[in-house]
Amino acid sequence: DIVVTQSPDSLAVSLGERATINCKSSQSVLYSSNNKNYLAWYQQKPGQPPKLLIYWASTRESGVPDRFSGSGSGTDFTLTIDNLQAEDVAVYYCQQYYDILPFTFGQGTKVEIK
Amino acid sequence: EVQLVESGGTVVRPGGSLRLSCAASGFTFDDHAMNWVRQAPGKGLEWVAGIKWNGGSPGYADSVRGRFTISRDNAKNSLYLEMNSLRAEDTALYYCARESSSSFHFDYWGQGTPVTVSS
């Protein structure tokens, strides 16, 4: 199984500042035939289901604010939230879908306001 | 509007059985693979099972293989999870999640149905 590890487990960021979350997979999720990274990011606010933010490591889902961006390739990825807003308080998960048996998620990163 | 509505969650004794359902609407159900993902109280996300658009190639997490069965009825726009030999560690909120038609990521999630396994 591909193990996905996020860091940090939690972080506190001041309003308007940048939050950076890292995600590392135990093996590359870059598919050479199409040069796509099979990695997604989800946001889960308290009491709500997860919401897709980013797929293919850097493609923003429709309707997601452009302050959210994804980067990285191979085994190392980053979710960046610029100009942090109060409504961005949530737990963020990365997920690999390179190996779908099984799909695996990172353990989650909790983002709070400092 | 895409909607996924789970039902069937309840309190069940260890060793018991349960069938979860997910009613889909707002999209062409048989265009998409579907999955179940669970979240234990205060914990992260764990993929449980998935099934292709035509009901083929069901896949399971090691933690549930041999005890859980995923199925779908495209005529009824519904996804199911048959859960047998339930254990305390199966206690969780169970989400139904749709796979994108262009990839394998999960683009829509239901609100979840809670399952508690307790004596």
Side-chain angles (χ1 to χ4, degrees):
Chain A
D1 298 0
I2 297 178
V3 176
V4 180
T5 305
Q6 293 180 227
S7 62
D9 289 334
S10 64
L11 74 161
V13 178
S14 299
L15 288 172
E17 296 300 306
R18 171 181 290 179
T20 301
I21 301 169
N22 300 302
C23 175
K24 188 175 184 67
S25 58
S26 61
Q27 66 186 72
S28 176
V29 298
L30 174 63
Y31 194 41
S32 56
S33 67
N34 59 10
N35 201 36
K36 288 183 180 291
N37 287 284
Y38 283 53
L39 187 112
W41 288 96
Y42 301 88
Q43 174 193 63
Q44 187 177 33
K45 296 182 179 180
Q48 296 185 20
K51 172 190 171 185
L52 175 67
L53 292 178
I54 286 170
Y55 57 98
W56 297 136
S58 60
T59 301
R60 208 177 297 114
E61 175 72 335
S62 176
V64 173
D66 60 7
R67 63 179 181 273
F68 292 90
S69 62
S71 62
S73 185
T75 62
D76 292 280
F77 301 90
T78 299
L79 174 69
T80 301
I81 312 172
D82 285 317
N83 185 23
L84 190 81
Q85 302 295 301
E87 61 262 33
D88 300 333
V89 168
V91 178
Y92 293 84
Y93 296 92
C94 58
Q95 176 212 20
Q96 67 80 23
Y97 49 97
Y98 181 90
D99 179 0
I100 64 172
L101 287 176
F103 290 101
T104 47
F105 294 88
Q107 79 276 18
T109 295
K110 186 174 185 179
V111 173
E112 300 172 306
I113 303 296
K114 187 186 292 183
Chain B
E1 178 194 4
V2 172
Q3 284 200 316
L4 299 169
V5 180
E6 303 92 337
S7 61
T10 188
V11 179
V12 61
R13 297 284 177 93
S17 299
L18 203 55
R19 189 195 200 204
L20 304 184
S21 299
C22 171
S25 60
F27 66 100
T28 304
F29 185 64
D30 55 14
D31 275 352
H32 294 266
M34 297 294 296
N35 294 268
W36 289 99
V37 177
R38 69 185 180 184
Q39 186 168 35
K43 302 297 184 182
L45 302 171
E46 179 189 18
W47 175 78
V48 172
I51 190 167
K52 296 302 180 189
W53 66 273
N54 60 357
S57 304
Y60 301 93
D62 287 346
S63 57
V64 307
R65 187 176 295 112
R67 301 187 298 122
F68 290 11
T69 302
I70 188 172
S71 62
R72 64 190 294 162
D73 185 336
N74 288 344
K76 294 183 177 180
N77 290 343
S78 293
L79 177 73
Y80 306 102
L81 187 67
E82 192 77 38
M83 308 164 69
N84 297 314
S85 303
L86 282 161
R87 307 166 179 166
E89 54 265 35
D90 295 319
T91 294
L93 187 62
Y94 284 74
Y95 294 106
C96 167
R98 187 184 88 165
E99 271 182 48
S100 165
S101 57
S102 62
S103 174
F104 302 110
H105 59 270
F106 301 162
D107 58 0
Y108 284 93
W109 299 62
Q111 291 294 317
T113 187
V115 173
T116 301
V117 183
S118 173
S119 55

